Amino acid sequence: LAKTTQPISMDSYEGQEVNITCSHNNIATNDYITWYQQFPSQGPRFIIQGYKTKVTNEVASLFIPADRKSSTLSLPRVSLSDTAVYYCLVGYTGRRALTFGSGTRLQVQP
Amino acid sequence: NAGVTQTPKFRILKIGQSMTLQCTQDMNHNYMYWYRQDPGMGLKLIYYSVGAGITDKGEVPNGYNVSRSTTEDFPLRLELAAPSQTSVYFCASNGRDSSGANVLTFGAGSRLTVL
């Protein structure tokens, strides 16, 4: 199983760009990298997914270097509502057991 | 689409009691998962299923059992509840969303307290 390592916590201010990096040194060829956001008392929800290079959607960007041993979630101009825990998950549909790392607790201040 | 539905939302059990947490999904996903999340901690995989009739253990299966008789339903049973099983339980299913991404869709969670 691909093990992931993320910073335990990060602090930011409203309007700043936040970059959260995840390390996954033993990522397999078939694995995708997916990021989830979790608010207190809620289940995680999907943010973005990528395989290599850069992916962008309406809420975030995901940067994956050529060796794919790490990935960076970029949140542009964060707001208070972005305060949450962010998890990166490495796997693919055929990988049966999907296990999460400890996640990164992002605190956005005014 | 209701997505993933979990019941009950809250439950208090006495030590030694048993109960079943229900999980239903209407997305026709083959892969389903049960996670537990202790306060301030990450998600730990309890059991998962790759299709009807097929289940397997995750990281923390002790004290739990599952079954998967249909694609839609994946109940989690707690036998002989213990205080260490006090947690929030999340069910999830895995499948492609409208953009083609392979996504876990989670239920709202079931908060269980064992006293």
Side-chain angles (χ1 to χ4, degrees):
Chain A
L1 300 175
K3 176 178 164 54
T4 60
T5 303
Q6 303 174 231
I8 293 174
S9 64
M10 296 182 68
D11 291 310
S12 183
Y13 292 94
E14 282 192 294
Q16 288 189 332
E17 178 185 73
V18 171
N19 296 310
I20 306 173
T21 297
C22 180
S23 172
H24 29 80
N25 290 321
N26 60 339
I27 188 170
T29 303
N30 292 338
D31 286 340
Y32 281 77
I33 299 152
T34 312
W35 284 80
Y36 292 86
Q37 175 191 56
Q38 186 181 28
F39 297 114
S41 302
Q42 296 184 23
R45 66 178 189 178
F46 171 79
I47 302 174
I48 196 166
Q49 183 177 86
Y51 183 81
K52 60 181 179 180
T53 64
K54 176 184 174 182
V55 179
T56 298
N57 63 20
E58 61 275 10
V59 299
S61 294
L62 178 58
F63 300 91
I64 305 169
D67 66 5
R68 304 199 328 121
K69 293 183 184 299
S70 66
S71 59
T72 299
L73 174 72
S74 181
L75 304 172
R77 297 181 298 281
V78 294
S79 65
L80 295 176
S81 62
D82 293 315
T83 293
V85 179
Y86 293 82
Y87 295 94
C88 79
L89 181 67
V90 174
Y92 70 107
T93 304
R95 182 184 291 279
R96 300 181 164 203
L98 295 178
T99 57
F100 286 82
S102 300
T104 298
R105 189 173 301 275
L106 173 65
Q107 180 70 48
V108 180
Q109 310 214 7
Chain B
N1 272 359
V4 178
T5 303
Q6 292 183 235
T7 56
K9 286 185 168 42
F10 303 94
R11 183 72 186 268
I12 298 175
L13 281 180
K14 294 182 179 178
I15 295 173
Q17 286 186 321
S18 60
M19 75 161 297
T20 300
L21 300 178
Q22 302 291 344
C23 176
T24 299
Q25 54 97 3
D26 62 359
M27 296 171 285
N28 202 33
H29 289 167
N30 284 322
Y31 291 74
M32 295 187 73
Y33 304 83
W34 274 105
Y35 295 90
R36 61 174 285 175
Q37 187 171 38
D38 298 336
M41 305 298 285
L43 296 111
K44 292 295 185 184
L45 179 64
I46 306 172
Y47 270 95
Y48 62 95
S49 170
V50 302
I54 306 170
T55 62
D56 209 344
K57 296 177 181 178
E59 302 169 285
V60 290
N62 291 343
Y64 306 95
N65 279 300
V66 294
S67 60
R68 185 92 182 272
S69 57
T70 67
T71 299
E72 295 78 17
D73 299 308
F74 190 39
L76 176 71
R77 182 148 182 92
L78 284 72
E79 306 279 4
L80 298 174
S84 60
Q85 293 178 304
T86 294
S87 192
V88 179
Y89 292 84
F90 290 102
C91 179
S93 69
N94 193 8
R96 298 233 174 248
D97 71 358
S98 57
S99 72
N102 187 34
V103 172
L104 278 169
T105 301
F106 284 83
S110 297
R111 184 178 297 274
L112 176 67
T113 301
V114 182
L115 300 174

